Structure formats: C-alpha cells, structure tokens
Amino acid sequence: CHPHRAIDGNICINCNTNDDGEVIDVGGGASGNICDGVVITNNIIDLQTLNNSGIRLKDNPVASGNQSDRCVISGNVIKSTSMPTSGTVIGIWVKSANNVTISDNEIQNVTSGIAATGPTSNKNISISGNNIRNCWQYGILVNTTTRASITGNVIENTSTSTTDNAIEVGASTDVEISGNILTGAGNSGPEANGINIESNCVGIVVDGNVIRAFGEHGINVTATSKPVLINANIISDCDESGIRLGDSQEWVKITNNQIYNCSVAGSYFGIIGVTPNRCVISGNSIFDTRSGGSRTQSGGISVGAGDRDIITDNLIYNITGTALTQSVTNGVVSDNVTS
C-alpha cells in the first residue's frame, strides 16, 4: 500500500464476494508491502453473504512482520439485512497490525462486531465510540494484543445464540476496558458474559462500565490472568453473578462496584471468588432494588478457600440469601455491612 491513502465515502450495496472475503481488504502482498497511514472513513457497506466481512486490515502470511501501521477506521456504517447465525461476518477485522484507531463506526447484524486477532501480536489498538448491535457472537474481541483500549462503545443484543461474550479479551497485555455500555440478549438468553477476561492476560483494567442482562455473569475472569483491576462498574439483571473469579485466581482487585438484581437463574452471589489468592474485594455495594418476592439477588459475596485475601467495607442489603460467606486463611475480613 502507498502511505497515507484514503478510502472515503464509498457506498457498497448488496456486496457478495462469493467466498471468504471482505468488501474493503487492506494489506498483504509482497514482502515489505506494509500499509502505512491508510484512512478508511465514511463508507457504507451492506453485507449479504455468510462469509463476507466488512473491513479488514491483514498481515502478509508469507512475509513475516509485514503489518499494517498507523491506520484509521472511522465513521463507517457496516450492516446486513438480518443477523447471521453461522459463518464469519465480522464488521471490522484487524489482524496483526500496529497503531490502529477504530472509532465511531456503526455495525449491525453480524457474527462479531470488531475483532483484533493474530496470528502475530497487534500493538496499540484503540477501539472507541462504536455502536454495535445484534451480534451472534462477540461484540468486540481482542486477542494476542499488546496495549489496547476499549472505551466508550455501546454494544447491545450480543451473543444471542452462542456462549460468546459482548467484550472478550484473551492472551493480551495492558488492556483498558472503560466507559462502555453493554446490554445482553436478556437474562434468559445463552450463557454469555458482559466482559470475559480469558486466559494469559496481564495488566487488565475494567473500569466504569454499565453491564446489564447477560445470561451468565456481568464480568468473568479466568484463573491465569493477572493482575486485574475491576472498579466502579454498574452490573444488573444478569442470570448468575455480577462478578466471578475462576479457580485459583490471583492478584485481582474488585472495588467500588454496584451489583443489583442479579441471580435471576437461582442462588448466585453478587461476587464469587472460587478459590482466590491475594485478591481484594472492597467498597462494593450488592443489593436488590425490589421488595418481597420480587427480589432475585440471593447472595452477597462468596469466597472459597483463598489465601491472603482482603474483604472489607462492602455493603450488602435487601437480598434473599446469605450476605457473606468465606473460607479465607491469612487474610482480612472486616467492616462489611449487611442487612
């Protein structure tokens, strides 16, 4: 690609590549053919096939290290007539690229909204201000990425037929997920999470998100990702727990979150740590806004046989079951208020 090329203002209607392909496909080619500074803006893309994605930045599978760099994808509208339930229809797909900004796009009726994946690592990926609706799988997927921000996006009605998640991050380092508004397919839908931190992540911040109506947990963290900060999120109406830490999870800090009206499917706690070690759960509020038999929030905080955990200054009230249960050794459990 020539540097600083613009792809702007095109209208692509009834697009059908007849193959696994993309309407706008940038990258690849001969060795050394790096796409530098390409700007893709204000295009309208109407997708029609089950293996047809909207915009892709790709690496060259032959020439190692041939990655797109300093590209901008902004202000595009990418949609299909109805939501697909098979195939690969990704709104924007970034593969092994550096310094990419994806902002203010509208994406609707796809299998996944935005994906940043390998085979080699992405670096410095910014995903902000996008409006993503009606995804069969992921709203935003970030995998094999170093330094990414996922901020200020609105994602609704995702994971409608699968157990995938509105935002999923895996095998990535230094990722911020903040200020997003996430609405699931409803608490009776599939077992999907609002935010899922998969294995082998390092340095993840989940801050100030609004998460509602997912079929499993609001935020889920698996055992091999650390450290993780989960702060000041508002989580409601999820089928199971507001926040869940997996087996033997270490170095997670859960602070100042509001969790209410969850446990729709049964006896689940607002925060669950299966067997956490060296984790902090502090300053959170867990409650039900309703009264009497209308309440679903059955439990407050449950921490299994953890070591050196701190559980302090949490407020748990108007729930139907146990406020706090824990089996912590060598830790601190104090100043929690329950009613």
Side-chain angles (χ1 to χ4, degrees):
C1 295
H2 293 284
H4 312 299
R5 279 293 179 90
I7 303 172
D8 178 74
N10 300 284
I11 300 176
C12 305
I13 302 297
N14 297 325
C15 296
N16 186 342
T17 63
N18 300 314
D19 200 331
D20 292 350
E22 288 69 40
V23 177
I24 298 176
D25 200 6
V26 175
S31 177
N33 185 23
I34 298 174
C35 289
D36 184 4
V38 176
V39 177
I40 305 171
T41 54
N42 305 315
N43 301 284
I44 298 174
I45 299 173
D46 183 9
L47 301 172
Q48 292 296 314
T49 68
L50 293 181
N51 292 291
N52 189 188
S53 295
I55 298 170
R56 181 174 67 169
L57 300 182
K58 66 178 181 179
D59 67 333
N60 184 344
V62 177
S64 176
N66 188 8
Q67 297 174 299
S68 298
D69 192 10
R70 300 188 301 171
C71 296
V72 174
I73 304 172
S74 181
N76 302 282
V77 176
I78 302 168
K79 62 183 179 66
S80 59
T81 304
S82 60
M83 183 175 59
T85 57
S86 63
T88 302
V89 185
I90 300 174
I92 298 172
W93 192 0
V94 175
K95 299 183 69 176
S96 307
N98 297 330
N99 306 307
V100 176
T101 297
I102 305 169
S103 66
D104 302 311
N105 300 282
E106 181 178 340
I107 300 171
Q108 182 176 348
N109 292 332
V110 291
T111 55
S112 294
I114 297 172
T117 63
T120 58
S121 179
N122 299 286
K123 294 180 181 177
N124 302 326
I125 306 297
S126 173
I127 302 171
S128 67
N130 301 283
N131 193 321
I132 301 170
R133 290 173 289 167
N134 302 342
C135 297
W136 182 55
Q137 295 178 308
Y138 303 104
I140 295 174
L141 170 64
V142 171
N143 196 14
T144 323
T145 297
T146 300
R147 295 182 299 277
S149 61
I150 304 169
T151 60
N153 302 283
V154 176
I155 303 175
E156 56 184 313
N157 197 33
T158 57
S159 311
T160 57
S161 301
T162 70
T163 57
D164 296 316
N165 309 291
I167 295 177
E168 175 152 322
V169 177
S172 297
T173 300
D174 298 337
V175 179
E176 174 194 0
I177 306 168
S178 66
N180 302 285
I181 299 175
L182 313 178
T183 306
N187 50 42
S188 61
E191 293 187 350
N193 303 297
I195 296 173
N196 191 55
I197 309 302
E198 262 295 344
S199 59
N200 301 318
C201 290
V202 177
I204 309 299
V205 175
V206 182
D207 183 79
N209 302 282
V210 178
I211 302 169
R212 181 180 179 276
F214 285 88
E216 196 164 19
H217 312 293
I219 299 171
N220 184 61
V221 184
T222 60
T224 57
S225 291
K226 59 186 178 182
V228 178
L229 171 63
I230 302 172
N231 180 69
N233 301 282
I234 300 174
I235 304 169
S236 69
D237 300 288
C238 292
D239 220 358
E240 299 184 16
S241 299
I243 299 171
R244 179 186 178 274
L245 305 183
D247 294 344
S248 303
Q249 185 66 55
E250 293 185 308
W251 304 112
V252 177
K253 190 174 184 178
I254 302 172
T255 55
N256 305 316
N257 300 281
Q258 293 188 49
I259 300 169
Y260 64 94
N261 299 0
C262 290
S263 309
V264 176
S267 299
Y268 294 94
F269 286 79
I271 298 173
I272 294 180
V274 179
T275 51
N277 299 308
R278 303 171 184 85
C279 293
V280 175
I281 302 173
S282 180
N284 302 283
S285 297
I286 301 169
F287 56 96
D288 202 302
T289 62
R290 299 158 296 192
S291 61
S294 299
R295 295 175 296 172
T296 61
Q297 188 64 60
S298 60
I301 297 174
S302 174
V303 176
D307 183 56
R308 297 177 177 84
D309 297 307
I310 298 173
I311 307 170
T312 61
D313 300 302
N314 298 286
L315 175 61
I316 303 167
Y317 63 95
N318 195 36
I319 63 173
T320 62
T322 303
L324 174 61
T325 176
Q326 54 85 22
S327 302
V328 174
T329 58
N330 303 314
V332 176
V333 181
S334 68
D335 299 318
N336 297 288
V337 177
T338 63
S339 64

